[in-house]
Amino acid sequence: MKATRDAYGETLAGLKNPNIVVVDADLSVSTRTSKFAKKHPKRFFDFGIAEANMISQAAGLATTGKIVFASTFACFASARALDQVRVSVCYSKLNVKICATHAGLTIGEDGASHQALSDIGIMRSMPYMKVFVPADPNETEQIIRWIAKDDGPTYVRLGRNKIADLHDKFGKSYKTKFCYARAQKIIDGKHATIIACGYMVEKALEAAMKLVEDKIHVTVLNMSTLKPLDEKAILRCPKPIVTVEEGMLNSGLGNAVAAVLCEKAGKKDTRMIRLGVDNQFGQSGKPEELLKHYHLQTENIVRAVKRLV
Amino acid sequence: MRFKLTSDIKVLKEKANQMRRNILIMCNKAQSGHPGGSLSAIDIIVGLYYSVMMHNPSNPKWVDRDRFVLSKGHCCPALYAVLADCGYFPLKWLYKFRKIDSKLQGHPSMVDTPGIEMSTGSLGQGLSAAAGMALGYKIDNNSGIIYCMIGDGECNEGQIWEAAMSAAHYKLDNLIVILDKNRLQIDGFTKDVMDSSSLAAKFKAFNWNISEIDGHNCKEIISILNKVIKNPNGKPSMIIANTVKGKGISFMENKPEWHGKAPNDEELEVALKELQ
């Protein structure tokens, strides 16, 4: 068990390319970039509690050929420094990888000011930006290695809490295998599909297993690339669809899936239920208590599927 | 080939005059744009590109080049006029400034325009990006210099001070910033809108080297730039250039309304006559 931020920090510290430079804004211990800083002190720069400056500096560094990883909490990367992400990074089309941690409700006790719930939608709306949400530590490592070789603006959404690798929790055949811009079909079932990202993939798998007891067989898609979105997977998967995410309903995964369905599914069944946070702020609490409060537990997914099939 | 520099003051003055004409023609043709700040900035930009910076218009991405970031991006007519004249792109591009499908956007876009080092326009960001470039050059032991121009109105932005703090912290003595202090911003005089007096003392307190010049005196401009380059001391440098917004055109000088207004055909004619 480890957090996706841990997998990020370990993978980053192990990357061999000498052009990699890492910047942080006084959160390197929490974002785990401190591991890279210890190993490569000359290629790590702390900008203090000044996220806007950090992001524009990252853009400037990228113009000199550096592969820049920029980390802070997701709430600051996606909101406080958004204009810098928009102009300095995206409009300038620069090679900056924003790896933001402590995303979603499950940051827990810190509460609403620190719970990034709109980051997926915000980052998806930036031209040139690629958006990833790894489901477990194993997939985090694969995504970090992949983006290190890619060029252009990138956002990776990472979590604070320790979670299991899916293959450790469910068995070998559930191992996350990252493929850029492709949804991973982890379970194949014909009655419906659950599309999830991040930690919610684990909940989706649990729900799928419970549903089998009632002879309902669902497909589970791990949508770890949020942009560009795997539209084919959405159109081809068994309908109806339930989406699950640790974020706002009005801008995240669920909305993205709904848009594809409405525009492109033709006469197919377009019924769906989106699970997520409905136009409200989070609050303090233990991560699992919060998921219960905001109806993001396994039982909620099971109920949503049953309502549709 | 590297751009051939000159220290001939007469040549620089003629260039600045010619660029002023182009700035006004561009804004007139676009019927939009920012002539006031472009005219306050132009003598400094001419000094940089024709007399100080190592750059190569036929190879804009030359790795050892000096760079210039226009953080007050709305004054890009001044920069576009100079880049075109240096040979970064054809002069005729100037006449499509701000028009649909143009390579010359309303604010600088590094993706669209050769010679633009950073997309700017949202104030404050260019200084941070320039500092990031200076840091990148330090990592690579690249001896190039990063120049950046900010405005006094722009110093309202908090990001300027975040950048100032970090440039001093990382000892970026390869970063030279020119503050185009024309004392005006959109809503009026800076002292009335948001008092930014004693900017020199403020940057000094942030541990920068400070010098002050007349931003329209070509001789002072190139002599201070050359002096600063030769004396790196572990600190970033701020050159406060006292300028006049709308400089060179009688009816535009010190008039806030010419911040973002284009001259009509009659006004253009009068202005061009003044520049003869």
Side-chain angles (χ1 to χ4, degrees), chain A residues 26-174:
Chain A
D26 198 38
L27 287 170
S28 66
V29 175
S30 301
T31 64
R32 308 299 197 228
T33 59
S34 54
K35 285 198 170 68
F36 182 95
K38 277 201 189 94
K39 214 168 159 186
H40 309 287
K42 290 187 174 162
R43 288 191 278 126
F44 174 82
F45 300 96
D46 200 322
F47 285 102
I49 311 162
E51 297 79 11
N53 179 46
M54 175 188 75
I55 293 292
S56 294
Q57 293 252 6
L61 277 160
T63 67
T64 67
K66 304 296 170 210
I67 301 159
V68 190
F69 283 77
S71 285
T72 178
F73 287 178
C75 54
F76 307 134
S78 65
R80 188 175 193 116
L82 177 59
D83 194 44
Q84 288 70 21
V85 171
R86 185 178 70 91
V87 179
S88 294
V89 176
C90 290
Y91 187 46
S92 305
K93 214 177 180 180
L94 288 168
N95 198 14
V96 177
K97 288 93 173 57
I98 300 162
C99 296
T101 66
H102 296 64
L105 286 169
T106 51
I107 182 176
E109 291 82 347
D110 275 355
S113 66
H114 282 55
Q115 286 160 339
L117 300 180
S118 307
D119 56 327
I120 293 176
I122 289 169
M123 292 299 178
R124 269 178 50 85
S125 75
M126 296 287 123
Y128 303 134
M129 185 69 100
K130 299 183 182 99
V131 180
F132 303 100
V133 186
D136 65 0
N138 172 54
E139 191 178 29
T140 305
E141 181 178 344
Q142 297 172 60
I143 288 174
I144 298 304
R145 288 188 188 286
W146 188 89
I147 65 169
K149 290 180 183 158
D150 181 49
D151 187 42
T154 305
Y155 180 74
V156 183
R157 183 189 218 228
L158 301 162
R160 168 179 180 259
N161 296 327
K162 288 190 171 82
I163 59 174
D165 272 323
L166 296 180
H167 60 269
D168 281 343
K169 182 158 183 153
F170 300 105
K172 260 188 197 167
S173 60
Y174 297 87

Side-chain angles (χ1 to χ4, degrees), chain B residues 73-148:
Chain B
H74 55 282
C75 298
C76 56
L79 182 54
Y80 291 156
V82 168
L83 290 176
D85 188 63
C86 289
Y88 281 88
F89 48 79
L91 271 171
K92 64 177 181 194
W93 284 18
L94 298 181
Y95 305 122
K96 282 199 75 182
F97 168 57
R98 284 182 165 249
K99 295 202 159 113
I100 190 83
D101 291 334
S102 172
K103 298 272 194 194
L104 304 187
Q105 291 295 298
H107 291 82
S109 164
M110 65 181 288
V111 172
D112 292 295
T113 314
I116 296 295
E117 299 284 5
M118 176 54 58
S119 303
T120 54
S122 182
L123 294 174
Q125 297 188 28
L127 181 57
S128 295
M133 290 175 192
L135 200 53
Y137 271 25
K138 287 266 178 197
I139 297 169
D140 292 338
N141 292 316
N142 186 327
S143 59
I145 303 284
I146 311 298
Y147 298 92
C148 177

Side-chain angles (χ1 to χ4, degrees), chain B:
Chain B
M1 239 181 41
R2 247 168 57 187
F3 189 78
K4 203 167 172 297
L5 301 173
T6 178
S7 51
D8 186 330
I9 300 299
K10 203 176 149 215
V11 172
L12 295 175
K13 279 185 175 167
E14 272 166 21
K15 280 289 175 199
N17 197 53
Q18 182 195 336
M19 297 306 124
R20 281 196 160 83
R21 297 171 66 87
N22 284 348
I23 288 165
L24 294 166
I25 293 167
M26 286 166 78
C27 292
N28 168 263
K29 286 207 178 285
Q31 273 308 295
S32 72
H34 298 81
S38 299
L39 293 168
S40 68
I42 189 63
D43 295 302
I44 297 153
I45 299 177
V46 163
L48 283 166
Y49 277 85
Y50 293 90
S51 193
V52 176
M53 279 169 48
M54 305 285 188
H55 64 113
N56 184 347
S58 54
N59 181 14
K61 299 280 178 197
W62 173 39
V63 290
D64 293 328
R65 70 193 183 279
D66 294 336
R67 301 176 176 209
F68 174 66
V69 174
L70 182 65
S71 193
K72 41 176 281 182
H74 55 282
C75 298
C76 56
L79 182 54
Y80 291 156
V82 168
L83 290 176
D85 188 63
C86 289
Y88 281 88
F89 48 79
L91 271 171
K92 64 177 181 194
W93 284 18
L94 298 181
Y95 305 122
K96 282 199 75 182
F97 168 57
R98 284 182 165 249
K99 295 202 159 113
I100 190 83
D101 291 334
S102 172
K103 298 272 194 194
L104 304 187
Q105 291 295 298
H107 291 82
S109 164
M110 65 181 288
V111 172
D112 292 295
T113 314
I116 296 295
E117 299 284 5
M118 176 54 58
S119 303
T120 54
S122 182
L123 294 174
Q125 297 188 28
L127 181 57
S128 295
M133 290 175 192
L135 200 53
Y137 271 25
K138 287 266 178 197
I139 297 169
D140 292 338
N141 292 316
N142 186 327
S143 59
I145 303 284
I146 311 298
Y147 298 92
C148 177
M149 178 183 276
I150 62 173
D152 48 356
E154 186 178 9
C155 291
N156 294 174
E157 290 282 4
Q159 190 172 357
I160 289 291
W161 305 100
E162 293 185 2
M165 214 183 317
S166 62
H169 179 83
Y170 284 112
K171 303 183 170 30
L172 302 179
D173 55 12
N174 55 347
L175 176 67
I176 299 176
V177 179
I178 302 103
L179 198 161
D180 178 10
K181 194 180 166 197
N182 61 29
R183 300 175 303 118
L184 286 173
Q185 55 194 109
I186 302 181
D187 278 355
F189 283 88
T190 53
K191 66 176 169 51
D192 301 324
V193 178
M194 184 48 61
D195 189 5
S196 57
S197 58
S198 56
L199 283 170
K202 283 175 178 136
F203 279 101
K204 192 157 195 247
F206 276 72
N207 210 17
W208 286 54
N209 297 317
I210 309 293
S211 40
E212 200 153 349
I213 58 163
D214 170 356
H216 298 302
N217 182 324
C218 293
K219 205 170 169 183
E220 269 190 48
I221 292 166
I222 61 172
S223 87
I224 192 73
L225 287 168
N226 284 315
K227 191 177 144 200
V228 171
I229 300 163
K230 285 184 190 125
N231 296 292
N233 64 350
K235 293 181 184 184
S237 292
M238 174 64 65
I239 298 168
I240 295 181
N242 291 302
T243 58
V244 174
K245 200 157 181 165
K247 173 74 179 179
I249 311 303
S250 59
F251 58 90
M252 291 185 178
E253 286 189 3
N254 289 317
K255 296 271 179 2
E257 57 267 35
W258 285 100
H259 170 89
K261 190 178 92 166
N264 62 29
D265 292 348
E266 292 78 46
E267 287 160 338
L268 178 68
E269 206 184 317
V270 176
L272 292 179
K273 265 190 195 139
E274 288 189 18
L275 290 171
Q276 271 170 2

